[in-house]
Amino acid sequence: MNQFAEWLSQTYLSVLIQNHNSWVIPTIQSIHIVGIGVVLASVFMVDLRIMGWAGMDQTLRQTTNRFGPWLTGALCALLATGLLMVVGEPARELVTVSFWFKMFLIAGGTLVAAIFQITLRKHEQHWEETLVNRSSIKWLAILTFLIWLAIIILGRLIAYDHVWGSWSPKRLE
Ligand code: HEM
């Protein structure tokens, strides 16, 4: 991974970002942070509806129709800005356990959100009348919220990867 990071840091785009580091990275980070807010708020609103704590005047489908596009759009913005940060500072990002752990949880969280939206569209009535009332689904809603929270914490921990002790490849550098 060190060699890949080394190669990436010499590519045209990476050098371009590095040469304008003072404003490019902070700008990308700012967009990334706005995206984080949108993702967490969208997941939170759908989870509140599943828990029965808010939005009960709306069906589950209406709730996901409203917040789903925000979630998808924000995830695309996070992917784009996240990749630009990786290209701009490959050694800082790719050689951390926090980054890879975060990528793993993002894949899991996105998969759960996608499966939920697809099955809700296919079996709308079953979801609205039965599934949403099951305690297992309510626990899943809590779990997914915790996964997105963990992703946020791991995103911040990329800069403090030493907290993982011997698990962090940074220690071997
Ligand atoms: C989808 C692909 C994503 C990629 C490739 C990516 C990549 C990155 C990178 C490279 C950083 C900079 C870390 C640093 O140098 O300190 C970062 C920061 C961060 N990311 Fe992501 N990210 C992605 C998605 C997300 C998502 C979905 C969330 C949460 C919902 C998230 C939350 C954060 C947080 C909280 C930070 C720290 C921001 C700061 O303190 O400046 N990221 N991300």
Side-chain angles (χ1 to χ4, degrees):
M1 193 46 71
N2 266 335
Q3 271 175 330
F4 176 70
E6 178 70 27
W7 169 81
L8 194 60
S9 69
Q10 284 156 17
T11 57
Y12 177 77
L13 183 58
S14 184
V15 173
L16 193 72
I17 296 173
Q18 287 163 41
N19 287 341
H20 299 86
N21 204 355
S22 59
W23 66 271
V24 174
I25 294 287
T27 306
I28 298 172
Q29 273 174 340
S30 305
I31 301 170
H32 204 74
I33 288 169
V34 173
I36 295 161
V38 176
V39 164
L40 201 69
S42 312
V43 173
F44 191 54
M45 293 313 288
V46 175
D47 282 349
L48 283 181
R49 174 62 185 79
I50 293 175
M51 297 305 291
W53 293 339
M56 295 307 283
D57 54 337
Q58 305 269 302
T59 65
L60 197 52
R61 180 76 194 267
Q62 283 170 328
T63 311
T64 56
N65 279 352
R66 179 170 174 198
F67 296 106
W70 285 98
L71 177 62
T72 312
L75 279 177
C76 292
L78 284 169
L79 182 65
T81 49
L83 288 179
L84 280 175
M85 285 192 277
V86 172
V87 173
E89 300 178 300
R92 178 187 161 100
E93 321 298 352
L94 297 178
V95 194
T96 63
V97 66
S98 309
F99 176 82
W100 292 108
F101 198 13
K102 173 181 157 180
M103 290 302 117
F104 175 73
L105 288 187
I106 288 175
T110 308
L111 192 69
V112 171
I115 292 174
F116 167 62
Q117 296 222 28
I118 292 168
T119 58
L120 175 62
R121 260 174 223 159
K122 271 194 183 162
H123 311 285
E124 195 174 334
Q125 208 178 350
H126 188 43
W127 265 99
E128 304 282 0
E129 289 169 8
T130 316
L131 291 181
V132 76
N133 299 317
R134 286 207 182 144
S135 61
S136 56
I137 295 294
K138 292 188 192 289
W139 280 110
L140 191 64
I142 293 175
L143 181 71
T144 46
F145 187 71
L146 292 178
I147 287 177
W148 290 106
L149 270 186
I151 292 168
I152 294 176
I153 293 166
L154 286 167
R156 193 63 200 114
L157 280 185
I158 294 172
Y160 305 94
D161 210 55
H162 58 267
V163 298
W164 295 102
S166 59
W167 283 15
S168 171
K170 283 240 153 174
R171 264 183 57 143
L172 305 173
E173 277 181 356

